[in-house]
Each structure stands twice: as C-alpha cells, then as structure tokens.
Amino acid sequence: MRNKRILIVLSLLAMIVLPLAAAQVTVDWNWVKNDPGVQYFRYQMDGEAEDGWTVVDASVTSYSASGLDGSRGYTLYLQQSYDGVYWSASAASSSQPVVPQEAVLDEPVVTEEVVETPEEEVVVEQAAPVEALAVEEAEEVVEEPAVVESAPVAAPVAEPQTPGTFSFSLSFAGGVGLNNIGDKLDYDYQGIVQLGFEDMLANSVAGWDIRLNLGFMANSIYDIADTTADNLFDMDKYNKSMFFDLLTGVNFKAGDTIFYIDGGARLLMNHGFGASGELFALGDFHSRIQVTGLLGFRWNIGWFHLGLEGQYVYDFDANTHSVTPRLLMGFSF
C-alpha cells in the first residue's frame, strides 16, 4: 500500500509454569551386624569412590542424610571389615523419590493485530478480539521436610582373610615357675620376649599361629621348703639358663579377646637341673630338648594388648615337670 507501512506485531503468550516448591526429605538407613568378628563399617551415598567412604566403628548401624531432593532416589553402599584394611563387597539400599504434582496450564494463544500509520486513514479489518489469557499463578507450597524410611541395608558378608595374611605381635612377659624334680619342688623366675606370627591361615573365628619365645631363667638351688628371706632374692643362689621355644597352634577370637593354644619344643641351655646345689658355671655348658605346651589369652586395645599365659614343660631325660604362669603385654601390627 502507498505511503503506508503495515506493522505486524506477533505476540506469543508463552505458557508460564510455576513448579511447586521441591520437597526436602531426610533418608534413614539401618543395617545389622551379622558377624561378631566385624570391627568396622564404611558407607558412601550414590557411589563407590575410593576416597569417598566414611569409616565407623561396628557399633554404628545407621546413617541419616537430611536436606535431600525428594524428587529423586538415593542409594547407600555399605561394606564391613575385620581389621579396617580388607573390606567386603558392597551391599546397597535405595530410597524411593517423592514426586511433586506439576501445575497444568492452558495452551498458548497467538494473536495478530494490524496497526495503521497516522499518514492516511485506512480502514483495516481487524482480527476478532481476543480475550486476555488468564494465567493463574500457582500457589507456592512449602512442605515440611519429609522423612523417608529406606529399606534396611543387609550387611554384606566380609571376605575371609586369605592365606598369607597375618598379623605380627611383639610381647614381653614374666612369671614364676614351679619345678618338680624327683622329690624336690623348687621355683624359678622367668622373663621372655615373644614373637607371634598369627593368622597365617585364618577365618573370622580361628587362625593358625607360629610363636617364638626367647627367655631367661633363674632357678633356685633350694627346695621351696628350704627357701628363706635371705636367699629368696640372692641371685648367687640360682642356676641361670636361657631357652628358646618354637611353638605352633591355633587361636580363637571373641571380639577383642584372643584365646590360643600352642605346642612345640624348647631348647634349654646352661641349666643346672640335678646340680646338687652347685652354682652355675660358665664353663659347665648344658643343653637339652624339652617338650612344651602353651595356653593363653590376650585382650587387644587397639595396637596394644595385655594377656595371661600358662606354659608346661616336660623333660624326658630328667623326668621333670615345670608349670609357669606369666603376665604378658605388648603390641600387635
């Protein structure tokens, strides 16, 4: 048209979507300790990254996560361990999403309007009037955080320790032994250093050990009936000797307590059994092999341990019996 410009304005009234406020939830997970030998749990939400685990004591059997988006689910991965080094495969439990209802609005409306320029009056046929689109603003809903109770997590079965995986213990012990030599009953003082190679083959309740004792013994030359306060601590009245024990046996675990029973042989050196009261002399070297058995228990406090042992020794050559109770302390690695 002459000297006329027709301005076409296209107005698109878009759908306005006002979502409901996302619900925030708290998810609780619970599990059960099904193996008394398990000492640690570790868990991680929505992943199994090596540096993403949270490690807790075995007394902790639940985990709660707050402020989570309720429109999606979450998965907790759980592992357990006897020693905090080797871990079981993961068990997993997932929560269900809480989905908010979406607002439903009318379809968008497109209107076309022709607007005249002021130069010349032109009658232009106008499109039928369009009623304004009423968009109802969604009411904002604020919900209290919901608590979603997830399905209980079944504690995974910890992998048994493999052969060759063992712990090492270093212990120091001392005690007073009783010796029966024919009609004579005397006593001795003993001190030992003990090396333990434990759980060389093991499962959650039992293991196979090798134990080495290096000890020093001071044996009284007097019968217990003849012992007086004057000679009780006079080391000149004692035969001195050293011994080396090689023992092997099994242990049994009950929480932090370990019971063990071992048997083996003792190499006794420079001992004065049957010396008829003679004092030990460096030039008079004696050695013999004896049979021995060991029964003990130990209470572990982290790396430190305390224990009590009883050792029996039999000498075939001299037909002697010896029983020694000992107190023990040391470290496990």
Side-chain angles (χ1 to χ4, degrees), residues 1 116 120-125:
M1 301 176 107
E116 299 175 332
E120 182 176 348
E121 185 176 351
V122 179
V123 178
V124 180
E125 187 175 355

Side-chain angles (χ1 to χ4, degrees), residues 70-81:
S71 64
R72 52 160 292 194
Y74 296 87
T75 300
L76 187 77
Y77 295 89
L78 177 72
Q79 297 180 356
Q80 61 184 13
S81 172

Side-chain angles (χ1 to χ4, degrees), residues 46-115:
D46 289 346
E48 296 181 88
E50 189 61 33
D51 58 351
W53 296 101
T54 298
V55 180
V56 296
D57 185 81
S59 61
V60 178
T61 57
S62 65
Y63 169 63
S64 180
S66 302
L68 303 181
D69 182 359
S71 64
R72 52 160 292 194
Y74 296 87
T75 300
L76 187 77
Y77 295 89
L78 177 72
Q79 297 180 356
Q80 61 184 13
S81 172
Y82 296 124
D83 54 12
V85 178
Y86 299 94
W87 295 89
S88 70
S90 295
S93 177
S94 300
S95 65
Q96 298 300 317
V98 178
V99 182
Q101 182 180 4
E102 298 181 354
V104 179
L105 303 178
D106 294 339
E107 294 294 328
V109 178
V110 178
T111 63
E112 180 179 353
E113 183 177 5
V114 180
V115 181

Side-chain angles (χ1 to χ4, degrees), residues 100-305:
Q101 182 180 4
E102 298 181 354
V104 179
L105 303 178
D106 294 339
E107 294 294 328
V109 178
V110 178
T111 63
E112 180 179 353
E113 183 177 5
V114 180
V115 181
E116 299 175 332
T117 64
E119 296 182 1
E120 182 176 348
E121 185 176 351
V122 179
V123 178
V124 180
E125 187 175 355
Q126 183 172 330
V130 180
E131 295 181 359
L133 176 65
V135 180
E136 182 180 357
E137 183 176 355
E139 181 181 357
E140 184 176 358
V141 178
V142 179
E143 298 182 3
E144 291 294 329
V147 176
V148 179
E149 188 74 23
S150 70
V153 182
V157 177
E159 298 174 353
Q161 296 182 7
T162 57
T165 300
F166 62 89
S167 61
F168 171 74
S169 65
L170 172 63
S171 305
F172 305 91
V176 177
L178 295 177
N179 308 291
N180 177 255
I181 309 173
D183 295 332
K184 179 184 177 183
L185 182 64
D186 63 21
Y187 63 94
D188 60 56
Y189 301 120
Q190 294 184 20
I192 71 166
V193 176
Q194 183 181 98
L195 305 179
F197 301 88
E198 300 170 344
D199 290 340
M200 300 184 70
L201 289 173
N203 56 30
S204 61
V205 296
W208 171 54
D209 306 332
I210 293 178
R211 212 171 301 276
L212 307 177
N213 291 336
L214 178 61
F216 174 81
M217 180 187 302
N219 180 253
S220 173
I221 64 175
Y222 295 103
D223 189 280
I224 289 181
D226 300 326
T227 302
T228 65
D230 293 336
N231 58 38
L232 186 61
F233 298 107
D234 185 354
M235 287 296 104
D236 289 337
K237 302 300 189 294
Y238 290 83
N239 294 316
K240 290 84 171 178
S241 62
M242 295 183 65
F243 59 87
F244 176 77
D245 298 336
L246 174 61
L247 305 121
T248 185
V250 295
N251 69 65
F252 303 94
K253 305 174 182 66
D256 294 328
T257 303
I258 296 178
F259 300 87
Y260 51 91
I261 180 169
D262 300 311
R266 167 175 289 185
L267 173 62
L268 187 67
M269 299 168 288
N270 296 338
H271 196 281
F273 277 149
S276 300
E278 296 178 3
L279 296 181
F280 167 73
L282 289 177
D284 186 16
F285 182 85
H286 302 278
S287 66
R288 64 181 68 185
I289 300 295
Q290 301 171 320
V291 176
T292 182
L294 180 67
L295 177 66
F297 80 91
R298 197 176 70 212
W299 181 41
N300 295 323
I301 312 171
W303 286 21
F304 181 73
H305 61 253

